[in-house]
């Protein structure tokens, strides 16, 4: 169990030392670039989520407003028919 905790501590130390060998000016510029990239990614993700929710809402609204009156998909599958009329 102690080896697992030591490995975890080593991983955190390694993450903390990322960029330690860079000059301060280069490190600061790199940090600005990374922060900007994270912000842009978050904005893009939020926009995509909102677009997907809007599309789903519009599709649900269109489906409920279409009227219909035909058999639902569960009724069609339980009948085991192709939807054609049978000659009697």
């Amino acid at each position: 169990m102690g080896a697992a905790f030591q490995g975890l501590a080593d991983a955190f130390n390694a993450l903390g030392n990322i960029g330690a060998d860079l000059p301060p000016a280069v490190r600061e510029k790199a940090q600005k670039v990374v922060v900007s990239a994270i912000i842009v990614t978050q904005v893009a993700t939020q926009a995509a989520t909102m677009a997907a929710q809007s599309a789903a809402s519009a599709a649900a609204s269109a489906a409920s407003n279409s009227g219909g009156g035909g058999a639902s998909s569960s009724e069609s599958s339980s009948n085991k028919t192709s939807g054609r009329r049978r000659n009697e």
Side-chain angles (χ1 to χ4, degrees), residues 16-32:
N17 290 331
I18 291 176
D21 59 339
L22 296 174
V26 174
R27 189 178 322 149
E28 185 175 332
K29 179 160 174 74
Q31 184 178 7
K32 287 179 183 177

Side-chain angles (χ1 to χ4, degrees), residues 27-73:
R27 189 178 322 149
E28 185 175 332
K29 179 160 174 74
Q31 184 178 7
K32 287 179 183 177
V33 169
V34 169
V35 169
S36 298
I38 291 171
I39 291 171
V40 168
T41 302
Q42 291 295 322
V43 168
T45 302
Q46 185 66 25
T49 301
M50 290 176 67
Q53 287 174 345
S54 177
S57 176
S61 177
S64 68
N65 291 336
S66 67
S72 69
S73 61

